[in-house]
């Protein structure tokens, strides 16, 4: 029997009657047993105290890659879960870009297999097409019946307009969600970083933001024509934010997210040819970064995701044009989103806990006495040094740096883990 | 004796105006040495230099090797196509293997932009960039500017047109950086598809009209069409390119004042430059080659002094 007392914690539960109130919470083996206005005395309990202790629903990452099976040298489900927990995530939606790709129920089941006994719950996103090649449909109804959270070819945005159109139609009977990271890959061929004066100075082939705009415009036109739902992931440019803002104003069923690294970095991070910052979509300009913050503020961008793309050192410690795209980020999403204090913490939490579930159609966990808790415990005022990553990937931009905003613990599935 | 502000020559971007002037004045001295009956000085005795070329090169490698030998350095050469790196051994491993044999300086050409910067972060030896993909080719820009200065004096206010495949050219980029630092004006001329969209932000003028560029400039630095570096089609045919962007002697003779014609080589004769233009009195193409050795001697000598 494990007793934990969260001392005078502020509850950040947007939409819940107790939102923003301060309470003393008693958890027993992951079950919420008491919500109290007065200090609690439980002998033998772990007392969690912190200057600005806060509690929210467990965070939900709508986009991460744990490429197991197939690329276990980059991240396994186990190492990914450990990193996710340290990042405050109790639930993670996984991209289908494993080997084999998540295009049938066997692979789907493999990803779900440990959920019953693990704290961090994994939700597979299934591939729209077999092998995520953008050619033949995978069996999407069957995948949905077996628990696929949504549909996407993940790292490979679907180029064929007719395929996108038919997917939007086919998913409608069960209100299925299509997720696209918008990129017209013809425009970005051989690109390494954002197109702009920085790329010119570095002699690197640019990836114009135009590639993102073109696909967003195309997909929105298809959505308007076919109906259904689409979610754009990893929005990176100001014009994309504006396109989505307009589409929402027109009443289209569109949602969007931004990945945390894009909130903190811009293209100038590549000036030293540091491959950690080689991402797709590429980090863009300071103006784009400001527009992403504004998009979060005004609700155009619904959620914040990690877009955790782990790689072994051999894939990253290379000449920039040969290095793989992607960085490890899941452990520092909260710090990346709060360090600069550009948004109120409760809004960041809404984008990490409520919005992703709403987009994915996953109900919010109960916050009631005698129910199993699904919570993240954190303090946005604590400064700490990110000394060691739990991810197998060494490509993390903030390793060894002083950060602000720390996850103190996670509770889910009657299990707890503390990072005190 | 003054010294450079850098340990490596990675690009022109990292050099100060003072560094560039120091390289030029040192090259003046070595150019004098090269006129002597005995063209060798003992300056780099005991220094071992590896010329590591992951991309084909004849003249740059020869020029470096000659510069190294004129300075009495011990020289080893290593050639490999970049594809062998992709197949197996990493760049870092290849170079560390060479360094394990106690090499002091590495002259490297590589197809990846930033490859020398990557190397400089990981090894002790001085790194000299002999061309990194479409990024920089600093010694070429130095010898180009040195040759211009020799012909026209101070570069301040001089007008230099860079004509040809700008998009794939490390020579163009290094030249732009250097000429801007030295106060020259730069105009770029090529078909629109061979110009990076944002290149105007480097403070250069742009034209698509080769006659206009020639009429404007004091120096025309004509670049090769880098067919080998074009992965996608940028223009319909070499015939059309040479008709509308190529330079011949008649065009030079029609100008109201003489200009200096340069080319980093190798020339595609009959494409960007006709033979009668390349071999005309306007051309200082062979002076560039000669100055290349002196400038590279200066760079090697000054960097060795940083050890």
């Amino acid at each position: 029997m494990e007793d934990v007392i969260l001392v005078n914690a502020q509850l950040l539960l947007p939409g819940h009657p107790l939102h923003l109130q301060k309470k003393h919470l008693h958890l027993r083996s992951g079950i919420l047993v008491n919500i109290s206005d007065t200090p609690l005395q439980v002998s033998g309990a772990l007392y969690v105290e912190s200057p600005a202790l806060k509690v929210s629903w467990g965070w939900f990452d709508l986009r991460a890659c744990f490429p197991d099976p197939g690329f276990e040298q980059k991240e396994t489900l186990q190492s990914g879960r450990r990193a996710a927990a340290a990042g405050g995530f109790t639930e993670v939606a996984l991209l289908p870009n494993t080997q084999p790709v998540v295009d049938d129920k066997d692979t789907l089941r493999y990803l779900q297999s440990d959920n019953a006994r693990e704290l961090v719950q994994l939700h597979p996103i299934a591939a729209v097409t077999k092998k995520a090649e953008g050619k033949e449909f995978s069996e999407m109804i069957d995948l949905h019946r077996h628990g696929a959270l949504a549909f996407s070819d993940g790292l490979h945005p679907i180029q064929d307009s007719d395929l996108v159109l038919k997917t939007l139609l086919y998913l409608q009977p069960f209100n299925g969600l299509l997720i696209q990271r918008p990129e017209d890959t013809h425009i970005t061929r051989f690109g390494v970083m954002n197109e702009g004066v920085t790329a010119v100075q570095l002699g690197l082939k640019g990836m114009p933001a135009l590639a993102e705009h073109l696909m967003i415009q195309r997909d929105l036109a298809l959505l308007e024509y076919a109906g259904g739902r689409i979610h754009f992931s990893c929005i990176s440019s100001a014009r994309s934010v504006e396109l989505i803002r307009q589409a929402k104003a027109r009443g289209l069923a569109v949602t969007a997210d931004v990945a945390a690294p894009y909130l903190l970095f811009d293209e100038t991070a590549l000036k030293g040819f540091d491959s950690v910052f080689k991402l797709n979509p590429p980090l863009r300009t300071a103006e784009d970064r400001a527009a992403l913050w504004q998009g979060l503020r005004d609700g155009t961008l619904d959620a914040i995701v990690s877009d955790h793309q782990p790689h072994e050192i051999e894939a990253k410690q290379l000449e920039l044009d040969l290095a793989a795209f992607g960085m490890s980020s899941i452990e520092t999403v909260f710090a990346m989103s709060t360090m600069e204090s550009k948004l109120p913490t409760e809004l960041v939490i809404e984008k990490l806990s409520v919005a992703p579930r709403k987009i994915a159609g996953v109900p919010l966990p109960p916050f009631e006495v005698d129910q199993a808790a699904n919570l993240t415990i954190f303090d946005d005022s604590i400064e700490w040094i990110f000394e060691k990553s739990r991810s197998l990937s060494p490509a993390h931009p903030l390793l060894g740096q002083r950060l602000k905003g720390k996850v103190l613990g996670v509770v889910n599935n009657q299990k707890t883990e503390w990072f005190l | 004796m003054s010294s450079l502000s850098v340990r490596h020559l990675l690009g022109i971007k990292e050099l100060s105006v003072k560094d560039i002037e120091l390289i030029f004045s040192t090259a003046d001295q070595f150019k004098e040495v090269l006129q002597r009956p005995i063209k060798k000085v003992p300056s780099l005795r005991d220094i071992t230099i590896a010329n590591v070329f992951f991309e084909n090169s004849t003249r740059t490698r020869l020029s470096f090797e000659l510069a190294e030998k004129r300075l009495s350095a011990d020289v080893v050469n290593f050639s490999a196509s970049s594809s062998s790196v992709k197949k197996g051994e990493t760049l870092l491993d290849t170079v560390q293997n060479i360094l394990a044999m106690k090499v002091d300086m590495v002259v490297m050409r590589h197809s990846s932009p930033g490859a020398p910067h990557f190397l400089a972060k990981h090894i002790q030896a001085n790194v000299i960039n002999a061309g990194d993909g479409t990024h920089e080719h600093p010694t070429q820009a130095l010898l180009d500017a040195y040759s211009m200065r020799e012909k026209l004096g101070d570069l301040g206010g001089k007008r230099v047109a860079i004509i040809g495949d700008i998009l794939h050219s490390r020579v163009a980029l290094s030249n732009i950086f250097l000429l801007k630092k030295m106060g020259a004006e730069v105009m770029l001329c090529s078909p629109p598809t061979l110009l990076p969209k944002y290149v105007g932000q480097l403070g250069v003028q742009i034209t698509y009209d080769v006659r206009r560029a020639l009429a404007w400039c004091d120096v025309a630095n004509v670049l090769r069409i880098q067919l080998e570096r074009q992965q996608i089609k940028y223009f319909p045919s070499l015939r059309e390119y040479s008709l509308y962007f190529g330079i011949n002697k008649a065009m030079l003779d029609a100008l109201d004042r003489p200009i200096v014609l340069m080319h980093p080589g190798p020339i595609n004769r009959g494409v960007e430059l006709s033979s009668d233009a390349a071999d005309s009195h306007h051309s200082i193409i062979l002076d560039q080659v000669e100055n290349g050795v002196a400038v590279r001697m200066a760079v090697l000598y000054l960097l060795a002094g940083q050890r």
Side-chain angles (χ1 to χ4, degrees):
Chain A
M1 200 90 80
E2 182 209 44
D3 285 297
V4 180
I5 306 295
L6 304 179
V7 181
N8 203 26
Q10 187 183 30
L11 308 180
L12 294 187
L13 305 164
H16 191 280
L18 297 179
H19 182 45
L20 297 179
Q21 294 192 23
K22 284 195 167 185
K23 298 285 178 189
H24 300 265
L25 304 181
H26 178 192
L27 295 159
R28 174 168 287 165
S29 302
I31 311 272
L32 187 59
V33 292
N34 195 353
I35 306 171
S36 165
D37 287 319
T38 52
L40 295 166
Q41 301 292 331
V42 177
S43 67
L46 169 71
Y47 279 75
V48 178
E49 296 181 70
S50 194
L53 187 65
K54 293 183 170 61
V55 174
S56 75
W57 282 300
W59 300 341
F60 188 114
D61 188 359
L62 202 50
R63 183 182 180 89
C65 200
F66 300 167
D68 170 4
F71 307 97
E72 291 87 345
Q73 78 278 17
K74 296 180 190 289
E75 200 82 282
T76 63
L77 298 185
Q78 193 193 12
S79 67
R81 274 193 163 101
R82 282 170 45 75
F89 293 102
T90 60
E91 299 181 60
V92 180
L94 292 182
L95 294 181
N97 307 97
T98 47
Q99 183 67 264
V101 164
V102 185
D103 59 9
D104 66 21
K105 22 182 210 206
D106 285 345
T107 328
L108 195 76
R109 280 186 183 133
Y110 171 75
L111 297 181
Q112 297 162 326
S113 56
D114 289 333
N115 275 348
R117 56 188 172 82
E118 290 282 352
L119 189 157
V120 175
Q121 301 295 295
L122 303 181
H123 300 285
I125 296 169
V128 172
T129 65
K130 285 180 184 155
K131 298 183 183 173
E133 285 178 340
K135 290 177 188 156
E136 278 178 66
F137 283 121
S138 54
E139 295 172 337
M140 288 184 276
I141 297 174
D142 202 33
L143 285 160
H144 166 71
R145 289 276 164 81
H146 287 84
L149 182 79
F151 294 87
S152 174
D153 278 357
L155 302 177
H156 310 292
I158 303 169
Q159 303 298 310
D160 184 327
S161 309
D162 187 51
L163 262 170
V164 174
L165 171 62
K166 295 208 165 65
T167 306
L168 287 167
L169 290 168
Y170 198 73
L171 296 180
Q172 285 180 31
F174 52 93
N175 198 24
L177 178 68
L178 172 63
I179 300 177
Q180 282 264 68
R181 177 180 61 71
E183 177 195 2
D184 181 325
T185 54
H186 296 95
I187 301 277
T188 54
R189 259 191 303 183
F190 308 114
V192 176
M193 67 172 293
N194 184 43
E195 183 189 60
V197 70
T198 309
V200 173
Q201 286 169 334
L202 296 173
L204 293 169
K205 177 111 171 65
M207 304 165 83
L210 173 70
E212 190 170 301
H213 311 152
L214 283 176
M215 187 171 274
I216 290 176
Q217 285 170 319
R218 179 199 72 171
D219 284 2
L220 288 173
L222 292 168
L223 181 71
E224 202 156 11
Y225 176 85
R229 288 202 295 151
I230 197 162
H231 176 77
F232 291 122
S233 207
C234 293
I235 292 306
S236 68
S237 94
R239 171 121 179 87
S240 302
V241 175
E242 183 52 34
L243 288 167
I244 295 164
R245 189 177 285 131
Q246 290 167 4
K248 284 188 167 185
R250 290 211 311 278
L252 291 180
V254 57
T255 50
D257 69 54
V258 57
Y262 299 81
L263 296 172
L264 197 57
F265 303 110
D266 63 41
E267 60 176 8
T268 56
L270 281 145
K271 277 195 167 164
F273 294 96
D274 188 345
S275 67
V276 171
F277 296 101
K278 182 179 171 185
L279 306 181
N280 191 9
L283 292 167
R284 302 205 193 268
T285 64
E287 294 74 47
D288 290 311
R289 187 164 85 91
L292 296 174
W293 282 111
Q294 182 52 34
L296 284 172
R297 215 171 279 130
D298 68 23
T300 304
L301 300 177
D302 302 88
I304 299 172
V305 301
S306 72
D307 194 32
H308 181 71
Q309 305 282 345
H311 289 292
E312 69 278 26
I313 192 163
E314 292 84 357
K316 274 305 226 183
Q317 201 186 68
L318 289 173
E319 302 86 307
L320 192 61
D321 56 348
L322 303 180
F325 286 104
M327 65 166 60
S328 169
S329 56
I330 201 164
E331 291 161 285
T332 54
V333 168
F334 181 61
M336 284 169 164
S337 312
T338 54
M339 266 166 86
E340 297 185 319
S341 305
K342 297 211 178 186
L343 288 186
T345 300
E346 57 261 39
L347 189 54
V348 171
I349 296 309
E350 197 268 330
K351 311 258 179 208
L352 287 173
S353 59
V354 179
R357 288 186 173 88
K358 198 172 164 198
I359 294 164
V362 174
L364 274 173
F367 184 81
E368 281 169 41
V369 170
D370 292 335
Q371 296 277 346
N374 181 345
L375 300 173
T376 301
I377 297 102
F378 57 101
D379 186 328
D380 52 358
S381 72
I382 292 185
E383 291 195 11
W384 58 294
I385 292 174
F386 180 40
E387 275 169 350
K388 197 167 169 11
S389 171
R390 293 175 150 210
S391 165
L392 297 184
S393 167
H396 198 297
L398 297 177
L399 212 55
Q401 294 193 34
R402 177 172 287 275
L403 309 180
K404 193 175 166 210
K406 190 174 192 312
V407 174
L408 301 174
V410 281
V411 182
N412 190 23
N413 202 18
Q414 301 185 40
K415 291 174 181 23
T416 55
E417 190 168 0
W418 299 100
F419 315 99
L420 300 170
Chain B
M1 182 74 193
S2 10
S3 58
L4 294 175
S5 67
V6 291
R7 264 197 76 228
H8 309 280
L9 179 63
L10 301 177
I12 299 295
K13 231 179 304 177
E14 290 83 4
L15 296 182
S16 66
V17 170
K18 246 179 115 180
D19 289 330
I20 294 164
E21 279 166 355
L22 177 61
I23 291 169
F24 287 169
S25 60
T26 311
D28 284 339
Q29 294 167 35
F30 285 123
K31 189 154 181 192
E32 187 267 315
V33 168
L34 292 174
Q35 312 302 323
R36 295 179 195 165
I38 295 170
K39 300 178 178 61
K40 202 162 172 160
V41 289
S43 313
L44 297 193
R45 225 165 40 190
D46 297 336
I47 298 276
T48 306
I49 303 177
N51 297 317
V52 184
F53 279 66
F54 291 95
E55 230 184 30
N56 291 334
S57 160
T58 314
R59 67 194 59 218
T60 303
R61 206 179 100 177
L62 200 63
S63 179
F64 265 111
E65 197 173 335
L66 216 49
E68 291 152 4
K69 288 182 169 163
R70 300 279 192 240
L71 292 166
S72 307
D74 294 318
V75 179
V76 289
N77 289 309
F78 174 92
S79 296
S81 65
S82 298
S83 63
S84 75
V85 176
K86 283 178 198 161
K87 274 182 216 153
E89 196 173 43
T90 65
L91 167 62
L92 198 53
D93 282 338
T94 306
V95 177
Q96 267 170 347
N97 270 284
I98 297 166
L99 292 182
M101 302 176 214
K102 308 284 181 248
V103 166
D104 303 298
M105 302 173 93
V106 177
V107 174
M108 184 173 78
R109 167 165 291 189
H110 197 284
S111 60
S112 297
H117 305 67
F118 170 78
L119 203 62
K121 259 185 246 171
H122 292 97
I123 67 170
Q124 281 303 311
N126 307 81
V127 177
I128 295 157
N129 181 4
D132 59 332
T134 49
H135 181 219
E136 284 224 48
H137 190 353
T139 56
Q140 179 71 43
L142 286 164
L143 76 89
D144 286 349
Y146 183 81
S147 305
M148 288 177 212
R149 167 182 169 273
E150 195 174 60
K151 191 86 183 164
L152 301 173
D154 181 23
L155 294 175
K158 295 289 181 304
R159 295 173 155 192
V160 181
I162 303 175
I163 302 167
D165 181 355
I166 312 291
L167 188 67
H168 296 93
S169 176
R170 51 192 171 216
V171 177
L173 203 54
S174 284
N175 259 283
I176 294 168
F177 291 145
L178 201 157
L179 292 167
K180 297 293 293 178
K181 279 186 198 220
M182 304 309 280
E185 289 182 58
V186 179
M187 180 184 276
L188 306 178
C189 174
S190 86
T193 48
L194 288 176
L195 274 172
K197 182 171 164 61
Y198 294 93
V199 75
Q201 291 183 27
L202 299 182
V204 297
Q205 301 183 52
I206 287 166
T207 181
Y208 308 133
D209 179 351
V210 69
R211 284 169 203 278
R212 190 180 152 231
L214 291 175
W216 173 85
C217 72
D218 299 310
V219 179
N221 196 351
V222 185
L223 303 178
R224 236 176 103 64
I225 287 295
Q226 305 268 2
L227 285 177
E228 71 278 12
R229 227 170 280 159
Q230 294 183 5
Q231 295 156 305
I232 316 168
K233 273 276 180 192
Y234 290 92
F235 56 87
S237 68
L238 282 179
R239 177 184 164 275
E240 182 157 296
Y241 183 86
S242 105
L243 276 176
Y244 294 95
F245 292 92
I247 296 168
N248 58 40
K249 185 152 182 296
M251 291 160 78
L252 298 174
D253 289 342
L255 298 172
D256 54 12
R257 66 201 165 104
I259 64 164
V260 175
L261 185 67
M262 302 176 68
H263 192 296
I267 307 171
N268 295 311
R269 282 181 183 256
V271 181
E272 68 266 5
L273 216 49
S274 69
S275 283
D276 60 1
D279 303 331
S280 71
H281 66 280
H282 296 277
S283 161
I284 59 162
I285 295 171
L286 293 176
D287 300 326
Q288 290 175 263
V289 178
E290 185 188 338
N291 288 336
V293 178
V295 166
R296 289 183 174 115
M297 283 173 81
V299 166
L300 292 163
Y301 172 80
L302 290 166
L303 285 178
Q306 301 289 79
R307 295 188 58 74

